[in-house]
Amino acid sequence: MMYLRKNFIKFLLILFISINLFSMEKKSDTYFVGNMPEYVPSDNESETTDSELKKNDYRFDEKDFDDPPYATFFEKIKKNNIKKNKSIRGGIVSGCFFKDMQGVIVGTSDLDAFVIRAKDLLKLSTKKYESKVLDPYLKVLEETAFIAEREKDEKLQNIKFVIGLNRPRSLSSKKNLVLYKELASLQKSPIDVRFFGFFWDFPWMKFERDKNGILIKNKKGKKVGYEEVLAFYKKFKKRNPKKAKEFRILNEKSHGIRNRMVPYRSLREVVKNSNQTEDFVKEIRTENTKTNIYLFITDPDTVDFNGCFSNYFEIADNERPDVFTSGYNFYSDKQPMVTLASELDMLVRDITAKNFPQGVYFPEPSLCLRVLPDKNNVAESFEKLTPTGKVSKKDYNMPGESKNIIDKIYENRKNPKVIFSKVRNLFTKAPARSFKNKRSGDLIFKGKYQNGIVTNWEFNDLINITKNSAQSHAYGKSWATNMLEAFEFKDCSYSNVILDERIKRQVSISLLNRLFNSYDPINLAENSKDKLLEIIKNYNEFVSEDKIQKYELNPYKDRAHEIWSYIDNIESRKELLMVLSKIIENLDIEKLDETCKNIGKAIAEFIFRKFYSDEKLENSFNTMNFNKKN
């Protein structure tokens, strides 16, 4: 009996220790502080209320009310007199609004700067509104952040969130009110979230008149302040309410190019540098100074986190990288083929980043940035900075937020660890650009993608998910252009002529593109489904030969005819890689060649899995040549 009792006590002790060890293994010392700018939409185009306005003496000519000199865009005249509407980026309005401890909305700058009357703001604090954007997003996060319910119970408390509610400052005070209503709404989420509101301005410009009194709108006007345009609008409304409203709607929508006005970099920077973000970091560190903290940069169009935080905590706890991402996939009921395009895009990014992490774009919707142990924030900036450290005033076509901040991390931190992990990609709503052919018109798919496979497809469907896609690293030229960001050029010459940066860049893109294409089964198949299947069956054999196809000299290259004549006539990978090594500093040609071959194999496997499911090949797939070593 004594023996049984001792053994039972020993058993309980072992069980107790095992349970505690299990708990210790599962407990994470990592925290994520989410950062997200969230646009608050408004469809309200009804007549505006009166707005407070500073008493400034603005003078307007009578003809200004017949032909307004103010606009948020200008007409860029291209060749053949084709006019195209252009705009420049807007700017952040200084100051923000948030709820204080009593739930009252307070501001950090003058109320009249935000074009809303103080008495209207007071009313908002006494009313209860249903959240239109905050609660729906936080509910998705709560329900889909982790794979298992047990994991959610243990780690959800380690996720904090800062949301910067924002919208463009309208000439309509009713449209501006929707931001305050969202700020005043009640939150039901168990997630520790803090939010604030701020406005950004449209880039209002004033155009001059020629000697005949005609406005000159084919070049940028003089930038003017919101207050001046609001004063003009208020007088315009009194004279002709209908035309005033048309003027406002036209300029605040700007012919469908409003996205060109959004200051994406600045929006992320405002949220990152907010008091709310820094306060979270300070509070977490108060409990444990050695806590591992990451800013999780994301977007409000996430529709499913796909358990990504299960992957994030594992990476952060075990690897502690400076930067990492899981990538993201597009989701669309309307056209699931765009989901397939994003899957292939992320597959190529993942393979490339293993050897050349700076050679792929790390997407903002799933970007994790480590806060250094002695800091309360990530010091690096999403903005493009001048050599003196000031924010560049130059307008931009692509925001490139993640590239800007990662480049700075490479500059500031010694040997930063950067990881692209294509595990549990989160899903975002497919943007409008994903349905467009980047050359012209809509993407037209013949194939049907359902339950993980494509049926009734044509070869052009493969072109549409790669070459024609508005966003894909799975197309040679796009891949090559992104890869160039990982390299620096040497000083070099050809036939005793020193190559300038433009030629080095063009030649490098051309050679990288050709290297990619020499392994890409879609390119090698030459629009033939039968040939593509043969390539997939015998992939390693098909790409084992060093000889590659030469190019015909393109007429547009006549300014540097001699070097292009040589480049386009290269017929072997070995020579191609040798030329690249003469242009690019410290290029590891073996890693580059290996990366391209791994991409080609992965694309071949991807196509087989998704597009040839109706072929009776499943049982023989694992014995196919492209899965064997050379």
Side-chain angles (χ1 to χ4, degrees):
M1 190 69 179
M2 183 65 70
Y3 172 80
L4 288 174
R5 185 179 295 172
K6 283 183 178 180
N7 279 345
F8 180 70
I9 292 172
K10 187 185 290 185
F11 168 77
L12 288 177
L13 186 61
I14 292 171
L15 182 62
F16 177 80
I17 293 171
S18 299
I19 290 172
N20 276 277
L21 285 173
F22 178 81
S23 299
M24 287 171 65
E25 289 173 358
K26 290 296 179 182
K27 186 172 177 57
S28 173
D29 68 345
T30 295
Y31 279 78
F32 288 89
V33 178
N35 262 212
M36 184 178 74
E38 180 151 12
Y39 170 72
V40 181
S42 171
D43 296 324
N44 187 354
E45 294 295 353
S46 60
E47 193 52 67
T48 62
T49 58
D50 290 333
S51 305
E52 292 180 351
L53 182 67
K54 288 178 180 177
K55 302 299 182 183
N56 287 316
D57 185 23
Y58 296 110
R59 298 179 183 276
F60 306 104
D61 196 296
E62 283 300 316
K63 67 180 71 166
D64 289 344
F65 299 103
D66 295 322
D67 188 12
Y70 301 99
T72 56
F73 60 94
F74 61 100
E75 295 173 341
K76 185 79 172 178
I77 297 180
K78 298 275 189 177
K79 292 179 181 178
N80 303 320
N81 278 332
I82 297 173
K83 293 184 178 182
K84 187 174 183 181
N85 288 332
K86 288 284 186 181
S87 74
I88 56 178
R89 298 289 171 183
I92 302 296
V93 177
S94 62
C96 64
F97 278 81
F98 54 93
K99 285 201 288 192
D100 65 12
M101 297 297 288
Q102 287 73 43
V104 177
I105 300 175
V106 295
T108 57
S109 62
D110 295 338
L111 292 178
D112 59 358
F114 286 79
V115 200
I116 182 170
R117 294 180 299 184
K119 63 180 183 180
D120 291 332
L121 194 63
L122 188 60
K123 284 181 185 177
L124 288 175
S125 297
T126 61
K127 292 185 178 181
K128 305 301 180 186
Y129 294 95
E130 182 180 346
S131 172
K132 300 293 185 184
V133 293
L134 283 169
D135 273 353
Y137 176 86
L138 293 170
K139 185 177 181 182
V140 171
L141 176 64
E142 180 191 353
E143 292 178 350
T144 66
F146 296 98
I147 301 171
E149 193 71 23
R150 174 184 53 77
E151 196 175 14
K152 183 177 92 171
D153 293 341
E154 291 171 349
K155 296 178 180 176
L156 188 62
Q157 62 186 355
N158 285 30
I159 300 175
K160 315 293 183 180
F161 237 91
V162 177
I163 299 176
L165 299 166
N166 69 89
R167 59 169 290 104
R169 186 163 54 160
S170 174
L171 296 174
S172 161
S173 59
K174 279 190 177 179
K175 293 181 79 68
N176 292 332
L177 272 172
V178 300
L179 178 60
Y180 296 95
K181 287 181 179 178
E182 187 64 33
L183 272 172
S185 65
L186 297 172
Q187 271 65 57
K188 308 167 187 175
S189 174
I191 297 167
D192 192 355
V193 59
R194 296 171 189 177
F195 51 93
F196 61 98
F198 63 100
F199 287 97
W200 51 272
D201 270 340
F202 291 112
W204 286 105
M205 294 172 283
K206 185 176 184 179
F207 297 92
E208 294 182 358
R209 299 183 186 275
D210 63 17
K211 60 183 180 181
N212 298 315
I214 306 299
L215 288 173
I216 306 170
K217 284 192 177 181
N218 60 4
K219 58 182 178 180
K220 289 182 186 179
K222 179 184 177 183
K223 195 170 182 180
V224 294
Y226 173 84
E227 292 283 351
E228 180 177 335
V229 182
L230 180 61
F232 170 77
Y233 177 63
K234 287 170 73 68
K235 289 188 177 182
F236 198 3
K237 259 179 41 174
K238 290 179 180 178
R239 291 168 180 260
N240 193 326
K242 183 179 178 182
K243 279 194 172 183
K245 183 177 180 179
E246 289 172 356
F247 162 81
R248 175 178 59 77
I249 293 173
L250 171 69
N251 284 283
E252 292 183 356
K253 289 190 175 178
S254 297
H255 296 287
I257 60 169
R258 197 197 73 199
N259 284 348
R260 281 279 296 122
M261 303 181 194
V262 181
Y264 293 104
R265 298 172 183 172
S266 300
L267 294 179
R268 293 200 190 277
E269 195 70 4
V270 167
V271 181
K272 177 176 76 71
N273 295 337
S274 66
N275 292 333
Q276 288 83 348
T277 297
E278 294 205 355
D279 287 346
F280 264 140
V281 175
K282 290 175 185 176
E283 289 168 18
I284 294 167
R285 287 256 163 81
T286 300
E287 297 180 10
N288 183 354
T289 56
K290 295 182 180 180
T291 300
N292 193 25
I293 302 176
Y294 286 86
L295 297 191
F296 169 59
I297 312 300
T298 191
D299 283 340
D301 58 357
T302 302
V303 296
D304 188 341
F305 285 89
N306 192 31
C308 68
F309 275 95
S310 295
N311 181 32
Y312 291 170
F313 275 97
E314 184 175 344
I315 292 173
D317 287 340
N318 298 330
E319 303 287 342
R320 301 218 166 187
D322 291 88
V323 180
F324 71 91
T325 182
S326 64
Y328 69 115
N329 288 339
F330 293 150
Y331 174 79
S332 172
D333 286 327
K334 174 185 172 184
Q335 181 46 270
M337 289 291 283
V338 303
T339 300
L340 199 68
S342 64
E343 282 184 36
L344 187 55
D345 177 20
M346 293 303 144
L347 175 64
V348 174
R349 294 196 210 195
D350 182 49
I351 294 169
T352 306
K354 283 178 171 57
N355 285 326
F356 301 97
Q358 285 185 280
V360 300
Y361 194 86
F362 278 54
E364 290 84 12
S366 59
L367 185 65
C368 299
L369 307 170
R370 190 178 183 212
V371 181
L372 294 177
D374 60 339
K375 303 291 183 183
N376 292 324
N377 209 333
V378 171
E380 293 80 10
S381 177
F382 288 110
E383 300 277 15
K384 192 77 173 178
L385 303 177
T386 66
T388 59
K390 294 182 179 179
V391 176
S392 173
K393 300 291 185 183
K394 189 176 180 181
D395 200 31
Y396 51 88
N397 290 321
M398 298 298 291
E401 305 105 291
S402 79
K403 181 188 179 309
N404 293 339
I405 201 165
I406 293 172
D407 282 351
K408 285 298 176 186
I409 286 173
Y410 271 101
E411 287 179 24
N412 295 348
R413 306 187 189 186
K414 188 176 180 180
N415 300 320
K417 192 171 187 178
V418 178
I419 295 175
F420 196 111
S421 169
K422 194 188 70 65
V423 177
R424 309 210 70 83
N425 309 97
L426 58 79
F427 286 83
T428 67
K429 182 180 178 182
R433 69 178 184 277
S434 65
F435 303 101
K436 296 290 183 182
N437 187 321
K438 68 181 176 186
R439 284 155 179 78
S440 64
D442 297 327
L443 286 174
I444 307 298
F445 294 101
K446 298 295 183 181
K448 304 297 180 186
Y449 181 46
Q450 195 172 16
N451 298 325
I453 59 173
V454 184
T455 56
N456 303 319
W457 59 281
E458 294 182 1
F459 200 92
N460 197 58
D461 289 329
L462 294 175
I463 303 299
N464 281 340
I465 66 170
T466 53
K467 181 178 180 179
N468 292 338
S469 174
Q471 173 185 304
S472 181
H473 286 60
Y475 167 54
K477 190 173 181 181
S478 296
W479 177 85
T481 303
N482 280 286
M483 273 294 287
L484 222 57
E485 301 296 337
F487 304 133
E488 292 184 7
F489 293 131
K490 292 180 178 179
D491 292 331
C492 55
S493 61
Y494 179 79
S495 295
N496 297 321
V497 176
I498 296 175
L499 302 183
D500 62 31
E501 291 295 303
R502 179 181 60 85
I503 290 295
K504 284 188 283 190
R505 180 177 176 82
Q506 289 177 351
V507 168
S508 297
I509 289 174
S510 177
L511 293 173
L512 288 166
N513 180 23
R514 289 183 68 191
L515 181 65
F516 183 100
N517 287 341
S518 74
Y519 286 113
D520 176 17
I522 299 173
N523 178 72
L524 295 171
E526 299 175 324
N527 295 315
S528 168
K529 289 175 69 172
D530 292 337
K531 187 175 181 180
L532 178 61
L533 186 56
E534 286 305 308
I535 292 171
I536 292 174
K537 285 180 177 179
N538 305 284
Y539 183 79
N540 276 348
E541 286 182 25
F542 207 91
V543 300
S544 61
E545 190 177 351
D546 186 47
K547 186 176 177 63
I548 60 174
Q549 184 181 10
K550 69 177 183 178
Y551 278 11
E552 291 184 10
L553 183 64
N554 293 318
Y556 72 87
K557 296 174 180 175
D558 58 351
R559 285 178 296 175
H561 181 91
E562 191 175 356
I563 187 170
W564 281 114
S565 181
Y566 167 61
I567 294 298
D568 289 352
N569 278 285
I570 291 174
E571 294 185 82
S572 74
R573 289 196 193 95
K574 185 176 180 180
E575 185 178 4
L576 183 153
L577 289 164
M578 180 270 294
V579 174
L580 274 173
S581 69
K582 290 180 179 296
I583 300 173
I584 295 171
E585 196 78 54
N586 301 320
L587 179 64
D588 189 328
I589 58 175
E590 290 185 2
K591 274 189 177 180
L592 180 60
D593 189 55
E594 175 194 34
T595 297
C596 285
K597 186 172 184 180
N598 288 341
I599 289 170
K601 286 182 180 181
I603 292 174
E605 181 178 348
F606 182 89
I607 293 169
F608 174 78
R609 296 287 191 193
K610 303 291 186 180
F611 287 80
Y612 284 100
S613 57
D614 54 343
E615 300 285 341
K616 295 180 179 178
L617 298 170
E618 284 85 348
N619 293 333
S620 61
F621 175 73
N622 289 328
T623 62
M624 283 189 179
N625 287 335
F626 79 81
N627 248 0
K628 295 179 181 178
K629 293 182 179 179
N630 281 333

